[in-house]
Amino acid sequence: MKRLIPFLFLLSAPAYADITSSISSSVKLEVSAAATAADRIGNSYSVSGTGVNTTDGTTAGSVGGLGAATNGVNAYTPITASQLTDGESFNYTVSHTTGDTIGTSLTTGEVSAFGDLTSTSGGTATNLAGTVDNHVLTITAGSQGTSATGQYVTTVTVD
């Protein structure tokens, strides 16, 4: 009998398990809308120098600069520089960027004429198509600004 005990453990009750299976198919079609990205360029002014006389035309020693803003653009006061002492070394640098004007009467869909614009046209659905027939996917490419994605998923779960 002792010799039969290991064989009795091999005889066990049947195993029960839940098996779940699912299959799904899908097609996604997209047409991009027209879009514009606008970045406004701001006002800037910088001046530096040594060994120079400066004037704005009325005031000696003036370094010019930016004044009050109107619709996003600052008033600019330019300066004139001349060598302080003949024959002496000097350096002088001035940099000025006029900012973009901010539009005051834009209507929906209009964009201010800023210095950095990126604009893309909208897509057209010409020829764009997709079908699912008994889990067989068929996708036809569209025109510019479109995308099509097909997906087939099979899942098996054993508990």
Side-chain angles (χ1 to χ4, degrees):
M1 182 69 164
K2 287 183 180 182
R3 291 184 183 175
L4 293 176
I5 290 177
F7 293 111
L8 291 176
F9 287 115
L10 294 176
L11 300 173
S12 62
Y16 295 99
D18 293 328
I19 297 177
T20 306
S21 174
S22 68
I23 300 172
S24 65
S25 300
S26 64
V27 172
K28 178 172 80 169
L29 306 174
E30 293 181 317
V31 178
S32 298
T36 299
D39 291 322
R40 181 175 175 264
I41 295 175
N43 300 280
S44 68
Y45 177 78
S46 119
V47 63
S48 66
T50 59
V52 293
N53 286 318
T54 59
T55 181
D56 63 5
T58 58
T59 305
S62 173
V63 292
L66 300 177
T70 302
N71 293 334
V73 177
N74 290 94
Y76 170 61
T77 303
I79 60 171
T80 303
S82 60
Q83 188 175 15
L84 183 63
T85 306
D86 289 345
E88 295 289 323
S89 66
F90 72 96
N91 69 51
Y92 173 73
T93 303
V94 66
S95 173
H96 172 244
T97 300
T98 300
D100 293 327
T101 301
I102 298 172
T104 57
S105 61
L106 295 175
T107 60
T108 302
E110 288 183 325
V111 178
S112 289
F114 288 161
D116 185 4
L117 291 174
T118 302
S119 187
T120 56
S121 63
T124 55
T126 306
N127 299 326
L128 179 65
T131 60
V132 177
D133 183 17
N134 200 21
H135 301 295
V136 175
L137 306 175
T138 304
I139 297 174
T140 304
S143 299
Q144 75 280 353
T146 65
S147 68
T149 306
Q151 182 174 323
Y152 180 83
V153 179
T154 301
T155 305
V156 175
T157 304
V158 178
D159 286 331

